[in-house]
Amino acid sequence: MRFEFATAGRIIFGRGSLGELRGALRDMGTRRVLVVHGANAERANPLLEMAREGGIECMRFSVPGEPTTSIVEEGVRLARGAECDGVIGFGGGSAIDAAKAIASLAANPGELLDYLEVVGHGRQLTKASLPWIAIPTTAGAGTEVTRNAVIISTENRVKASLRSPLLLARLAIVDPELTRDLPPAITAATGLDALTQLIEPYVCNRANPMTDGVCLEGMRRVARSLRRAFENGAADDAAREDMALAALFGGLALANAGLGAVHGFAAPIGGMFPRAPHGAVCAALLPEVMRVNLRALRAHDPDSAALRRYDEVARILTGDDKALADDGAKWVADLCAALDIPKLGFHGITGADIPLLVENGLRASSMKPNPVVLTPGELAEILQAAI
Ligand SMILES: [Zn+2]
């Protein structure tokens, strides 16, 4: 056994923990920070006020959708030009990924494309990022504790990553109260992304005992709380807390184990259909990937430990000690239906897109840790069923 585990320098979790920001900024010794937030600028006002009360100069930068290469380049110009000495990412996965990339590139020589995988030169980042703080306002992506930032190249219609241990946040503040007002559709999509990011690392071929522990605990919390957060999220603080923790655990797991075919497809789909929310795409794919993975494992590798792991997933999700792997896949499919998750066709994906998505999916880094190697035919079958 050999594994490593790397995460944010410090994690503060709890209701109201946003209030710890002022002290954290003081400890970091920053004077001028770039606050990267989502489309709704007002939501960041309390945070800006808090920082300013602490004597810190704040500049804001809005990232309205998933970060593109040009948005990140603009943010880097702003941070360099204003000589910011810190960055805060406040929002969903998109704002936090943008903050992560900006904090890093502002401190490294050259430009984004020098370092970006796939569409850029993929050079290694060499310098530590500007100290940066991640504060998620959704419960899904877990990107506050991951060491990659996903960026869309609109020109090439692909998603590519900046990847380095140097990208890790100095501090992650996970405050479930920030997710209280999320609308049900976003709660559903982001929550199912979190669930996917707990199941895929648990059954993948790079799982380790540390990520196993967080995956199992995270799945328990999603099982008991995602429906409740969807139905009554504004009042059910306990469900919001469970989901915030589950999302954080998914981030810890995916960064230190790996993912699988759901995310292997989510990357090329996100590049070709940038308006399709990542979580909704993952949710539509998850039950189909579980079904085809199980069939392929039984056919090619019947003694695989992954099959026993899928049984364990089923027992946790259903709460039934006698449940078997297929019951887990069915439970996920039922949950997607209850949470009104649309099929992939809703986002404009059609059968004509399948060959290119299969080709690009086969090359995606997330496809490699899938517990079984899927054939192009099996991959096409997954997409067909999810459309
Ligand atoms: Zn995801």
Side-chain angles (χ1 to χ4, degrees), residues 193 197 263 278 282:
D193 186 25
Q197 295 178 169
H263 279 82
H278 169 77
C282 288

Side-chain angles (χ1 to χ4, degrees), residues 140-141 192-194 196-197 200 254 259 262-263 266 278-279 282:
L192 282 160
D193 186 25
T196 310
Q197 295 178 169
E200 292 208 299
L254 81 89
L259 288 162
V262 174
H263 279 82
H278 169 77
C282 288

Side-chain angles (χ1 to χ4, degrees), residues 2 11 28 38 50 54 71 74 87 119 128 145 171 189 207-208 210 219 252-253 261 288-289 298 302 315 356:
R2 183 210 167 271
I11 298 168
M28 243 162 53
M50 202 184 298
I71 285 268
E74 195 187 330
V87 174
V119 294
V145 288
L171 167 67
N208 71 62
M210 254 180 112
M219 282 186 252
L252 295 174
E288 308 307 337
V289 167
R298 286 177 187 130
R315 286 193 281 271
L356 186 55

